[in-house]
Amino acid sequence: MIGKKFDDPLIQKDMKHWSYKVVKGTDGKPFIEVMYKGEKKTFQAEQISAMVLTKMKQIAEDFIGAEVKDAVVTVPA
């Protein structure tokens, strides 16, 4: 969803398969609507990605017992 608009045909097609609700947000961007701490919240895909990376950093630091300052994240094409 990052870099795409809500009205993009690919987004519209894929929405049928997602277990979460996607709504049209500001500037036509897709926003993910979830229940978070008992409240309905909307997040941009970039925000969700940042949350995942933050959690991965915490897990890595807990595992190695030291602060992680630099990391390389690879994404398959």
Side-chain angles (χ1 to χ4, degrees):
M1 284 191 283
I2 295 174
K4 299 208 182 291
K5 296 287 186 182
F6 179 82
D7 295 326
D8 184 297
L10 186 59
I11 296 291
Q12 292 300 310
K13 178 182 168 218
D14 288 347
M15 280 174 47
K16 301 174 203 163
H17 305 289
W18 295 330
S19 60
Y20 46 87
K21 185 175 181 180
V22 177
V23 296
K24 191 171 191 173
T26 55
D27 296 328
K29 293 179 73 171
F31 277 52
I32 300 151
E33 189 174 270
V34 295
M35 290 299 291
Y36 179 72
K37 296 186 177 181
E39 295 181 38
K40 188 185 290 188
K41 299 261 187 175
T42 55
F43 297 99
Q44 295 178 25
E46 294 87 347
Q47 291 174 295
I48 301 287
S49 179
M51 290 177 198
V52 170
L53 291 171
T54 299
K55 182 65 177 176
M56 288 173 63
K57 181 180 186 280
Q58 291 171 350
I59 291 168
E61 289 176 343
D62 291 344
F63 183 77
I64 64 173
E67 182 182 7
V68 173
K69 295 182 181 180
D70 298 301
V72 175
V73 178
T74 61
V75 179

